[in-house]
Amino acid sequence: MRICYGYINQYAHKMNLYIFNETNPATSYGIGTYIKELVVVLKNSGVNVCVVNLNSDKLQIMSEEIEGVLYLYFPPPIQWSNELSEHWDLYHHNIVYWLQLHIKNKENLIFHLNYNKKGKLAKELKDVFKCKIILTVHYLDWCFKLLGNQVRLKKILETQQLVQRDKEIELLKDSFQIEKDTFQIVDYIICLSNKTRQILQDDYKINSNKIVTICNGLTDTTSVSEKSMLRQKFNIPLNVPIILFVGRVDNSKGLKYALRGFRIILKMCPDCRFIIAGNGDFDLHMAECEDIWMNVIWTGLIKKEKVYELYTIADLGIMPSFHEQCSYVAIEMMMHGLPIVCSTSAGLYEMVENNITGLHIPVIEYTDKTEIDSSLLAEKMLYLLQHPIEAKQMGQNGRRRYLNNYSSNIFSGNMLKIYESCWHSDDGKIKVLIVTGQSNHNWEVSHLAIKQILENSGLFTVNVAISPETGKIMSNFNLDFASYQLVVLDYNGDRWPEETEKSFLDFVEKGGGVIIYHAANNAFRDWKEYNRIIGFGGWEDRDETAGPYIYMRDGRLVYDKESYGCAGSHGIQHEFVLNCSNPEHPVTKGLPVAWRHAQDELYDRMRGPGIVKDVLFWGYSDPATKGSGRDEMAIFTVDYGKARIFHTTLGHAGNTLDNNIAMQCAGFQVTLLRGAEWAATGNVTQPVPDDFPTEKSISLRKNYK
């Protein structure tokens, strides 16, 4: 995510940020590190920062200021029980009451929570203060109990009846509901991985408009240390391979599978050492080490400086965890240039690139258990030990990935951006950017019509980027796509600057929503990735080298690689019937399976290298209107990585907003609105309107609402 710091700092001094922490085991691990890093990157930003420590070890309410940051400490309740939520409700009520009395500047208040079961606290804060609340999801409670097994979670959530012995299941469902209630109350949710974001959308049914993915970041504290000297310090010869595990010693980290894999490795590499750095329940794993004690080193809980020394001397890092969000250990390993063998649990799958920065081991999910194949794990570890040059290259790649994705600078920019967005978010509306300004069509009319359609729905807030005129200097046409959830392309002119093209591809690759509108599929004949994104295109001298003809035949999609000829044409403008190919898609669900579109162009003879995902509507291109005589796609989605791409060939602009019948068609407007919401969020919440066209008659919205 890119950021304009000048713009942010314009508002930063007005922000009063309260970060909530809580004394528990998580504080010593990921959440504690997160808050420390957050404070570091915010200290000099102009944001007024206060860290609120709940359930602290202090005997009374205390405060202290350290380097410009205020720290508040609240002792635990005198009498409390984890089983009695009302005790905690009263405790949180008292916290809010105290804050109400002592917060002097109540403008632009942002409360940043870091624990999921704080719905009552969040609600009371919103009731008392005019504030915004952000929640960072560091973990999901069921992941600990089910070892991240989403298959088991879905089965449990679908269970309607509970018997007496299902007390644990009942508690898990209750915990899930408490988390869900919290997610619904807060204004913004920060997920540390895209997988978690998807879980919140799919399983918790949280509106994606309020969810953003921001990875953890760490300050670079690596140093040049002599490897041989450090090995002497740990009494390990230079030529002895070292495998390193860092983290809590518990079942969720998959350590027992790592130990079993290590036992296999010792048959091929008897001098190998396995260092386990972390605290926890050692008794759970001692049985795995009975006959390999001399090769396993248990450090227990050690200081960060010592852990960093271990990164320096190790040959590879191992992370067979069943669930991770955005692991600081993985970041540290990449920061130190260490290749990683890791599981495919949510966060690790996204963090570690298979065969580039490390090697993946699949997590095997059954309906009743979760496992990792120890022999496969051993195979991957042994491969890196036996291929040191390749392992070194993966480590170097990991270092670059750290700098590009997980450095403190990246983290700082992203967090400042979300804080600023709290007060400039247009009340949760979907943020849209229309790119226009050069086109062989009447873009002055089309982009205004699109803007009115989107904004009049009440679901979107729209900005417009207008390019320089055709042939003029384009070097300053730099766009920050990352600030938006949806990009609408109404453009087919000169190539964008390289920086803008890279920014657009980055936006798409990270799962951004895109609408390809009408003649935007004429653009950029020679831009390979753009042509994959649009699915198919026409004109601009496209021919068979641009890809096969793509059309419909007998309700099926055809990729015609045999026919030669130019790409892109349409008959005369006329009314035509559109037929639904996928009535269960969120965009089409509930809409008529056939409807009549107002006078418009029906594109035909289109070619492309892209992969069509879902054909939503198609129309017959009648030779009587100089068409192709084929069933041609009119509205469809494109399969391109994580992105949601909605492509409509409809909506040829008229001379004026008043004389603009194709875009005034209610069918065009409704499908555009539903496609926009789906592309931005993955869901469609809009009801089917009464004025949607029928197969026999068109319907117009001349006021675009």
Side-chain angles (χ1 to χ4, degrees), residues 139-167:
Y139 61 88
L140 295 168
D141 195 52
W142 61 267
C143 285
F144 292 101
K145 297 179 175 64
L146 304 180
L147 297 182
N149 191 326
Q150 204 173 352
V151 175
R152 290 184 67 191
L153 173 67
K154 291 181 182 295
K155 182 180 179 182
I156 289 170
L157 294 178
E158 291 168 357
T159 303
Q160 298 298 319
Q161 295 182 338
L162 296 171
V163 296
Q164 191 66 33
R165 67 177 180 272
D166 289 332
K167 183 66 175 176

Side-chain angles (χ1 to χ4, degrees), residues 503-512 514 533 640-643 645:
S503 177
F504 178 66
L505 289 181
D506 185 61
F507 170 79
V508 176
E509 289 168 358
K510 289 181 177 178
V514 180
I533 289 168
Y640 189 92
K642 301 175 184 176
I645 301 168

Side-chain angles (χ1 to χ4, degrees), residues 468-493:
E469 296 178 5
T470 303
K472 301 294 185 179
I473 296 174
M474 291 285 289
S475 58
N476 292 325
F477 190 55
N478 298 318
L479 305 179
D480 182 12
F481 296 103
S483 299
Y484 300 90
Q485 295 164 270
L486 177 67
V487 173
V488 181
L489 298 179
D490 177 24
Y491 183 96
N492 66 357

Side-chain angles (χ1 to χ4, degrees), residues 348-360 397 401:
L348 293 177
Y349 179 83
E350 297 173 26
M351 298 178 74
V352 179
E353 299 174 287
N354 194 34
N355 296 312
I356 298 176
T357 61
L359 299 175
H360 286 176
N397 293 341
R401 184 161 176 79

Side-chain angles (χ1 to χ4, degrees), residues 202-223:
D202 295 345
D203 297 327
Y204 290 84
K205 308 301 181 185
I206 305 301
N207 192 324
S208 64
N209 293 352
K210 67 192 293 181
I211 311 173
V212 64
T213 302
I214 299 178
C215 299
N216 290 335
L218 271 177
T219 304
D220 191 355
T221 54
T222 55
S223 61

Side-chain angles (χ1 to χ4, degrees), residues 66-114:
I66 304 175
E67 297 181 353
V69 176
L70 180 65
Y71 292 83
L72 298 177
Y73 302 92
F74 292 91
I78 297 174
Q79 183 179 10
W80 63 277
S81 169
N82 283 325
E83 299 295 325
L84 297 176
S85 61
E86 59 264 26
H87 289 171
W88 283 110
D89 292 346
L90 179 60
Y91 178 70
H92 292 144
H93 172 78
N94 291 336
I95 299 296
V96 175
Y97 180 76
W98 191 96
L99 291 173
Q100 185 184 15
L101 293 177
H102 290 83
I103 293 178
K104 296 179 181 178
N105 188 351
K106 294 182 173 63
E107 294 184 357
N108 289 357
L109 279 174
I110 300 174
F111 294 102
H112 187 161
L113 308 182
N114 289 282

Side-chain angles (χ1 to χ4, degrees), residues 232-283:
Q232 288 179 7
K233 182 178 178 178
F234 287 94
N235 198 28
I236 301 175
L238 192 60
N239 62 340
V240 171
I242 296 176
I243 298 169
L244 177 63
F245 170 94
V246 177
R248 295 191 312 277
V249 180
D250 62 36
N251 282 332
S252 68
K253 297 298 183 179
L255 184 56
K256 75 174 181 180
Y257 297 98
L259 286 165
R260 292 171 185 177
F262 181 65
R263 185 185 300 277
I264 298 171
I265 287 176
L266 289 177
K267 296 176 182 178
M268 303 289 296
C269 188
D271 293 330
C272 191
R273 299 288 194 276
F274 188 17
I275 300 179
I276 301 169
N279 207 1
D281 193 347
F282 297 105
D283 292 341

Side-chain angles (χ1 to χ4, degrees), residues 515-519 521 534 536 550-552 557 576-581 595 597 600-604 606 612 614-621 630-637 646-651 667-668 671-672:
I515 289 182
I516 310 299
Y517 156 72
H518 198 54
N521 61 29
I534 65 177
F536 71 16
I550 308 176
Y551 51 88
M552 303 289 289
L557 196 61
F576 48 87
V577 173
L578 289 166
N579 303 278
C580 184
S581 290
W595 56 278
H597 181 42
D600 200 351
E601 297 172 342
L602 179 57
Y603 281 8
D604 57 38
M606 304 291 279
V612 175
D614 291 294
V615 180
L616 304 182
F617 290 102
W618 58 270
Y620 176 62
S621 183
R630 299 191 301 227
D631 295 334
E632 302 284 357
M633 292 190 303
I635 304 176
F636 60 96
T637 69
F646 177 83
H647 189 144
T648 179
T649 65
L650 307 178
F668 169 79
T671 54
L672 179 71

